[in-house]
Amino acid sequence: MSGSSSFYAQDASARTSWRLAVLMGANSRTYKFALGTALLDAAGRGQSEIPLAELAAPYALELARHLGDAPQAPEGVALRDSDFLTIAKEERAETLNAGQPTERLLEAAARSMPAMVMQRFHNLRGGTQVPHRFFEPAGNPRQRVVRLTPDALRIARSEQAAGLRTELDARWSIVESSFAAGVGRSLIEDGVAVDWDSLKLTDRKRRRSVAKVADALIGFQHGRCLICDEVVSPGQAVAVDHVFPFALMQRLHSVRAWAGPDLDALWNLAPAHATCNGGKSDRLPFTVEVHRLALRNEAIMDSPHPLKKTLQLSLQQALGGRRSTSWPEFLQAVWDLAI
């Protein structure tokens, strides 16, 4: 079973289909994230049908905002004068000053969306699509509308709605960083590191912030605490748990050198309720927690760079230079070293 199929099988729901589209779809530009933001906002208001021009406004505005912080397409990609991103760059200052897209930018967005991002939103790599659909275009070319599906309305008003938005924002930030010259090359070659002072992911060479650790990872856990497997609800305190406790490296060092992998690395870190994390303390993980970690890491491996690259490096390099073929094998080896 592929990573995306296994991920979906753990929770065969529209919410998981949404996470597949946002977290595991291929990204040549960031249009998907702007559309996802606009869809969540409209569905959260209960709008089952929205004129395309109305949906295009928040879509264009979000892209204009992000253009000032990071590239929205890979560096070095030649953009034509008629390209939507070219127009967005030219109209950005006026758009942000007004707090709404200029007429030219709005027209460009409404013109480009149906043939581009709206056709590709539900696509996964390999020519497949997510099991659920969240919108359907309707109307004629003069009066285009977008009909949001009941699934879109449900997830946008569910207990995990805020978390889905946070996950989308984190993924957007990660993809932007992978597009940036220098930073992107570092991420693709070396993966990400963890800055424990800020609890953020960074590129290894420049230490530039990429995204918050918990926000970047929790979607791959279906929004759940790795320890108790319950949903992390809005307002609940979240901790980043060392599934195999970091104390192992210190405890065993007094007897012999720790022969295992770096326990501060991404493969061993999992968002959890702060209360669950406090109660777990420095105990070894239960078998079910190790199983959840393996499933989570397998899901990340089915996402595009750079999180995928980070875990690939762990599998290849972290056990005395011996390559592991799977996460269950890798985690069993770590367990054997820990006991």
Side-chain angles (χ1 to χ4, degrees):
M1 179 180 284
S2 70
S4 58
S5 298
S6 175
F7 182 73
Y8 182 75
Q10 294 168 45
D11 178 14
S13 66
R15 186 170 48 239
T16 301
S17 286
W18 178 271
R19 287 188 165 116
L20 283 171
V22 170
L23 301 177
M24 298 185 184
N27 302 295
S28 60
R29 303 191 183 193
T30 62
Y31 298 154
K32 175 189 296 185
F33 307 117
L35 178 58
T37 298
L39 291 171
L40 286 177
D41 288 347
R45 296 190 296 269
Q47 289 183 263
S48 59
E49 188 170 292
I50 181 170
L52 176 60
E54 186 178 329
L55 187 67
Y59 166 84
L61 184 58
E62 283 298 307
L63 278 166
R65 287 171 175 158
H66 278 257
L67 272 167
D69 299 325
Q72 303 304 302
E75 291 283 357
V77 171
L79 301 177
R80 296 172 297 176
D81 291 343
S82 59
D83 192 287
F84 176 69
L85 279 182
T86 301
I87 296 171
K89 289 177 182 178
E90 294 171 352
E91 300 295 314
R92 178 177 178 272
E94 187 176 345
T95 290
L96 296 185
N97 285 337
Q100 61 185 18
T102 64
E103 184 175 341
R104 180 177 176 235
L105 180 56
L106 186 59
E107 180 183 342
R111 183 176 63 249
S112 65
M113 289 170 68
M116 189 173 49
V117 64
M118 292 179 69
Q119 284 195 9
R120 300 174 183 173
F121 184 86
H122 299 99
N123 292 355
L124 294 173
R125 291 169 296 158
T128 60
Q129 291 197 334
V130 299
H132 297 79
R133 294 189 70 82
F134 300 104
F135 61 87
E136 295 289 350
N140 57 55
R142 287 185 150 188
Q143 290 183 315
R144 291 180 185 262
V145 296
V146 179
R147 289 181 180 150
L148 304 188
T149 65
D151 287 325
L153 297 173
R154 275 193 291 270
I155 68 166
R157 305 175 91 176
S158 69
E159 64 174 344
Q160 290 201 41
L164 294 175
R165 178 62 180 267
T166 300
E167 293 163 23
L168 186 154
D169 290 342
R171 190 68 206 177
W172 194 341
S173 178
I174 289 169
V175 171
E176 286 175 334
S177 297
S178 71
F179 287 163
V183 174
R185 285 194 295 273
S186 172
L187 293 176
I188 290 171
E189 292 171 2
D190 304 323
V192 295
V194 178
D195 182 342
W196 283 99
D197 291 333
S198 62
L199 277 182
K200 290 185 178 181
L201 301 176
T202 70
D203 69 293
R204 294 182 182 278
K205 294 178 181 177
R206 293 171 177 78
R207 297 293 174 179
R208 168 175 160 169
S209 176
V210 173
K212 293 180 179 178
V213 174
D215 295 346
L217 296 180
I218 196 165
F220 295 100
Q221 299 173 196
H222 297 277
R224 296 177 177 274
C225 167
L226 191 103
I227 298 171
C228 73
D229 202 34
E230 295 295 325
V231 170
V232 177
S233 301
Q236 290 185 302
V238 178
V240 177
D241 178 51
H242 287 79
V243 182
F244 285 90
F246 185 77
L248 278 172
M249 298 176 72
Q250 300 168 320
R251 186 181 78 200
L252 292 180
H253 183 70
S254 64
V255 180
R256 64 184 186 278
W258 167 247
D262 180 7
L263 299 180
D264 255 346
L266 195 68
W267 67 267
N268 189 45
L269 305 179
H273 292 117
T275 51
C276 292
N277 177 250
K280 176 175 177 282
S281 189
D282 288 338
R283 70 163 170 80
L284 285 173
F286 297 140
T287 301
V288 68
E289 294 165 355
V290 176
H291 177 65
R292 289 174 193 146
L293 181 62
L295 292 175
R296 195 285 306 274
N297 285 351
E298 287 169 352
I300 293 175
M301 293 285 282
D302 207 50
S303 70
H305 290 297
L307 300 187
K308 175 180 180 178
K309 180 64 173 182
T310 308
L311 295 197
Q312 282 178 331
L313 291 172
S314 292
L315 281 180
Q316 294 169 5
Q317 302 171 359
L319 287 172
R322 177 169 58 86
R323 178 193 294 266
S324 292
T325 59
S326 70
W327 282 104
E329 177 190 342
F330 176 93
L331 297 176
Q332 181 62 53
V334 178
W335 177 268
D336 292 342
L337 290 169
I339 58 176

